[in-house]
Amino acid sequence: MKKRMKISSQLLILSIIFTLLFNACKKDDSSSSARKAKSDIELNKELLLDLVNNARTTGCNCGDTYFPPVNEVSWNNQLEEAALTHSKDMDDNNFFEHEGSDKSNAGERISKTGYIWTTWGENIAEGYSSEKAVIEAWIKSKSHCENIMQSDFTEMGVAKKGKYWTQVFAKPN
């Protein structure tokens, strides 16, 4: 009888441990879902910089105007934040414009992040599936390409929410 109680106790303990582990795994699965949802808006920053800086350092035709090589830009998290604010706004409110639903422009959105700028530019796009596709589209568009090749810009950030992309360039003060 004692042996049977000892085995029952051990089975009960194992059952409790199994339940705790199973519940812990379920929590990890749900947090991995949260991480996946967050990663839906995370982009390959290195690839974006490489694609933009390749155009900037080799020179580029924007429409019928040739832009000679210019200095590379670096990534700025505040500019990424301003870009994400606009992409989220367009996605949440189902519109596609440079002006925000609150009538803000990119300069105002950049300033809200605490970034102090001397000049800025913004590209937006809708419906592209990858970093490479959206950068190629911006380079094929004269005005977007001119932003990419603007020698005054020294930093950039890009964000995507849903089908909406925003690229923000600036030069700090």
Side-chain angles (χ1 to χ4, degrees), residues 154-172:
T154 59
E155 298 178 319
M156 81 166 198
V158 179
K160 178 182 185 244
K161 177 67 170 103
K163 62 183 178 178
Y164 299 100
W165 295 78
T166 305
Q167 180 180 43
V168 176
F169 292 98
K171 179 181 180 180

Side-chain angles (χ1 to χ4, degrees), residues 51-115:
L51 292 167
V52 168
N53 285 328
N54 182 54
R56 288 176 66 89
T57 58
T58 58
C60 187
N61 282 317
C62 299
D64 56 1
T65 305
Y66 176 73
F67 282 75
V70 295
N71 290 332
E72 293 184 349
V73 292
S74 59
W75 193 268
N76 183 283
N77 290 331
Q78 289 171 292
L79 298 180
E80 177 187 14
E81 181 183 340
L84 182 56
T85 296
H86 193 52
S87 289
K88 281 182 175 180
D89 186 23
M90 289 189 291
D91 187 61
D92 291 347
N93 296 296
N94 195 31
F95 72 96
F96 182 67
E97 295 178 33
H98 287 282
E99 183 178 77
S101 63
D102 62 355
K103 306 296 182 205
S104 65
N105 65 38
E108 293 164 327
R109 292 187 289 272
I110 295 166
S111 293
K112 282 183 182 177
T113 71
Y115 186 99

Side-chain angles (χ1 to χ4, degrees), residues 55-57 59-60 62 67-70 144-151:
R56 288 176 66 89
T57 58
C60 187
C62 299
F67 282 75
V70 295
H144 294 104
C145 180
E146 289 172 354
N147 271 344
I148 289 171
M149 296 304 295
Q150 175 58 251
S151 63

Side-chain angles (χ1 to χ4, degrees), residues 6-21:
K6 187 175 180 181
I7 291 173
S8 292
S9 295
Q10 289 173 341
L11 286 173
L12 179 62
I13 290 169
L14 285 173
S15 174
I16 291 170
I17 290 170
F18 177 77
T19 301
L20 290 172
L21 287 172

